[in-house]
């Protein structure tokens, strides 16, 4: 039984059979074999499903198991020193933590690594490339929910993966369906929702028959009586037979009627020079309403001009997908599992980056006063752009709409 919060934040108990876990472990040993000379790092909290293979895979094969200290999984400096001290050959990182790890670790500390696995979030090519410059270890991107025994697909990162890192092809005894709203398969390159089937599916949610019935549905493509799991993830088939992760259905948002995939905004930010990590979300303000906000971390040894990033994004994205503001951070807030904690990202400020110049004429003063009233902001100057300091076409109190 593993409890997962999912996107709702309400814990759900997932009942996973021993058979499902054994299939997962046997596939991993066959694909990435461990030997008695290997050293596997266990650093994932046991409340997170990755801990299942971290614990049982080495014990199943006779490899050595090194257990990190409590909360050690959140300290990249401690992890790099532990890997070097214990000669760790096999480790797992959530992509957000891998980005932190490569920023502090040295090549010497990573010399023992033979294979590194990533899962839990989308793996950015920039993070993967940074790791390969640090270590010669194989880097493997895995994907899967707790509801399907941890991982259902895998792909090895290669240097040609400069736009996306695929989540790969299915593991043993597993079927991956990319379906449209009518449960029909979609062509290569077309976005669809990912459904999973096979021996790794969980039995369901403990005491939640309604939720089980909603997420575990009849499999129209399998034998009678079989089920498939509706992941809520949007993916697309590649021409090479691998899957690309596009984003969560619940990360698809609307701002002023325009549908936006947050993952696409993040991918565009990561394509810009000097950006090592990126995130995007919608921030709600009682005055200005919803605004798209970007968050970035600069690559080591570089600095970021956030206004310059917004200018460059205009050449990559439609205007409605360009964040109203981009915020540069030193580090991203991480949750207990090492994943990005989106709720802890700081609220944006729409203060002008231009040097303040007070209104010079009665007309400029009147316009500034209107902006200040509409946005409930501080002093507005001549250089301030209404849309860049939080305004939009829907910001209008009742007396202005009358």
């Amino acid at each position: 039984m593993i409890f997962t919060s999912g996107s709702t934040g309400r814990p759900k108990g997932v009942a996973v059979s021993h058979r499902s876990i054994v299939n997962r472990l046997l596939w991993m040993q066959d694909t990435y074999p461990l030997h008695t000379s290997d050293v596997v790092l266990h650093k994932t909290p046991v409340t997170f499903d990755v801990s299942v293979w971290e614990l049982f895979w080495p014990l199943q094969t006779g490899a050595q198991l090194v257990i990190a200290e409590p909360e050690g999984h959140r300290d990249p400096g401690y992890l790099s020193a532990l890997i070097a001290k214990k000669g760790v050959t096999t480790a797992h990182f959530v992509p957000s933590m891998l980005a932190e790890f490569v920023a502090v670790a040295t090549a010497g500390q990573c010399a023992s690594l033979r294979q590194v696995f990533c899962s839990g979030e989308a793996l950015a090519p920039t993070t993967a490339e940074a790791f390969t410059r640090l270590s010669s270890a194989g880097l493997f991107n895995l994907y899967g929910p707790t509801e399907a025994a941890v991982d259902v697909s895998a792909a090895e990162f290669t240097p040609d993966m400069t736009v996306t890192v695929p989540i790969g092809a299915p593991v043993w005894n597993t079927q991956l369906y990319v379906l449209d709203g009518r449960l029909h398969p979609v062509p290569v390159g077309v976005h669809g929702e990912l459904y999973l089937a096979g021996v790794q599916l969980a039995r369901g949610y403990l005491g939640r028959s309604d939720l089980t019935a909603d997420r575990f549905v009849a499999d129209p493509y399998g034998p009678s009586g079989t089920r498939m799991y509706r992941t809520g993830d949007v993916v697309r088939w590649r021409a090479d037979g691998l899957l690309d992760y596009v984003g969560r259905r619940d990360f698809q948002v609307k701002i002023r009627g325009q549908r936006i995939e947050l993952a696409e905004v993040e991918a565009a930010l990561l394509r810009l020079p000097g950006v090592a990590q990126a995130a995007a979300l919608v921030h709600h303000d009682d005055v200005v309403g919803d605004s798209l906000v970007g968050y970035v971390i600069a690559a080591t040894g570089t600095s970021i001009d956030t206004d310059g990033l917004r200018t460059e994004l205009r050449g990559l994205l439609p205007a409605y997908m360009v964040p109203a503001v981009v915020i540069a951070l030193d580090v991203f807030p991480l949750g207990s599992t090492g994943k990005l904690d989106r709720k802890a990202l700081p609220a944006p400020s729409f203060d002008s980056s231009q040097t303040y110049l007070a209104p010079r004429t009665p007309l400029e003063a009147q316009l500034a006063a209107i902006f200040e009233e509409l946005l409930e902001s501080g002093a507005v100057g001549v250089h301030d752009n209404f849309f860049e300091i939080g305004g939009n076409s829907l910001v209008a109190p009742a007396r202005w709409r009358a």
Side-chain angles (χ1 to χ4, degrees):
M1 183 71 65
I2 296 180
F3 282 80
T4 175
S5 64
S7 58
T8 65
R10 179 184 177 185
K12 306 183 294 290
V14 183
V16 182
S17 71
H18 290 180
R19 180 191 184 203
S20 299
I21 294 297
V22 168
N23 183 82
R24 167 68 177 71
L25 293 173
L26 292 179
W27 162 80
M28 201 166 194
Q29 177 62 14
D30 183 80
T31 308
Y32 315 104
L34 288 180
H35 309 285
T36 55
S37 58
D38 278 303
V39 180
V40 178
L41 176 61
H42 166 58
K43 64 179 183 61
T44 304
V46 293
T47 53
F48 186 27
D49 56 11
V50 170
S51 66
V52 172
W53 70 253
E54 281 187 345
L55 284 168
F56 291 107
W57 186 24
L59 297 180
Q60 182 187 39
T61 58
Q64 182 178 346
L65 178 65
V66 171
I67 301 178
E69 66 182 25
E71 296 298 310
H73 68 291
R74 304 175 73 172
D75 184 346
Y78 163 76
L79 292 175
S80 57
L82 181 64
I83 288 170
K85 179 180 179 181
K86 299 295 186 180
V88 171
T89 65
T90 303
H92 171 274
F93 287 92
V94 173
S96 291
M97 180 49 69
L98 182 63
E100 301 292 334
F101 176 79
V102 299
V104 303
T106 65
Q109 290 174 317
C110 298
S112 63
L113 287 173
R114 186 170 66 83
Q115 49 191 6
V116 170
F117 300 93
C118 274
S119 66
E121 296 174 322
L123 175 60
T126 50
T127 300
E129 290 165 2
F131 175 78
T132 59
R133 291 193 296 268
L134 183 71
S135 170
S136 60
L139 181 61
F140 304 95
N141 192 32
L142 309 183
Y143 164 87
T146 304
E147 290 85 349
V150 189
D151 294 304
V152 293
S153 67
E156 181 175 6
F157 173 75
T158 56
D160 61 305
M161 296 175 182
T162 57
V163 178
T164 60
V165 180
I167 59 175
V171 308
W172 288 356
N173 304 308
T174 299
Q175 293 79 48
L176 309 181
Y177 303 130
V178 184
L179 308 178
D180 62 19
R182 298 179 296 170
L183 299 185
H184 292 168
V186 300
V188 170
V190 175
H191 293 189
E193 185 170 357
L194 178 59
Y195 288 76
L196 313 176
V199 301
Q200 288 192 192
L201 257 62
R203 295 176 177 176
Y205 299 106
L206 178 66
R208 299 290 305 277
S209 57
D210 56 337
L211 187 59
T212 299
D214 179 62
R215 301 303 293 269
F216 293 85
V217 298
D219 180 2
Y221 304 102
S224 176
T226 56
R227 304 172 305 152
M228 59 183 184
Y229 172 70
R230 180 167 58 88
T231 67
D233 289 326
V234 179
V235 298
R236 60 182 166 229
W237 286 113
R238 295 159 45 117
D240 58 8
L242 302 179
L243 276 179
D244 267 340
Y245 175 81
V246 177
R248 289 284 306 166
R249 288 185 64 90
D250 46 14
F251 281 3
Q252 187 182 78
V253 298
K254 273 190 174 183
I255 297 182
R256 292 180 286 283
Q258 300 281 5
R259 192 178 300 276
I260 296 173
E261 293 278 3
L262 294 179
E264 292 186 19
V265 179
E266 294 170 352
L269 283 166
L270 287 169
R271 290 168 59 187
L272 301 180
V275 177
Q277 297 183 64
L281 58 74
V282 174
H283 173 76
H284 179 76
D285 183 272
D286 290 338
V287 176
V288 302
D290 292 334
S291 299
L292 182 61
V293 183
Y295 299 85
V296 295
I297 293 177
T300 303
T302 64
S303 60
I304 285 181
D305 173 10
T306 54
D307 288 334
L309 291 184
R310 293 185 67 250
T311 299
E312 293 187 67
L313 282 177
R314 293 188 183 102
L316 300 174
L317 297 170
Y320 67 88
M321 293 181 66
V322 176
V325 63
V326 175
I327 300 173
L329 301 175
D330 294 329
V331 295
F332 279 162
L334 304 180
S336 60
T337 61
K339 294 183 182 181
L340 172 64
D341 184 356
R342 292 177 180 271
K343 294 181 180 179
L345 289 168
S349 171
F350 294 101
D351 293 337
S352 172
S353 61
Q354 301 280 356
T355 300
Y356 176 76
L357 178 62
R360 298 159 297 186
T361 67
L363 179 58
E364 289 178 351
Q366 186 176 10
L367 287 173
I370 292 173
F371 288 4
E372 292 166 6
E373 182 176 351
L374 289 176
L375 302 178
E376 296 185 9
S377 67
V380 172
V382 172
H383 293 307
D384 289 328
N385 182 310
F386 178 73
F387 296 100
E388 293 182 357
I389 59 175
N392 59 69
S393 59
L394 301 183
V395 175
R399 72 183 188 87
W400 290 99
R401 292 198 300 266

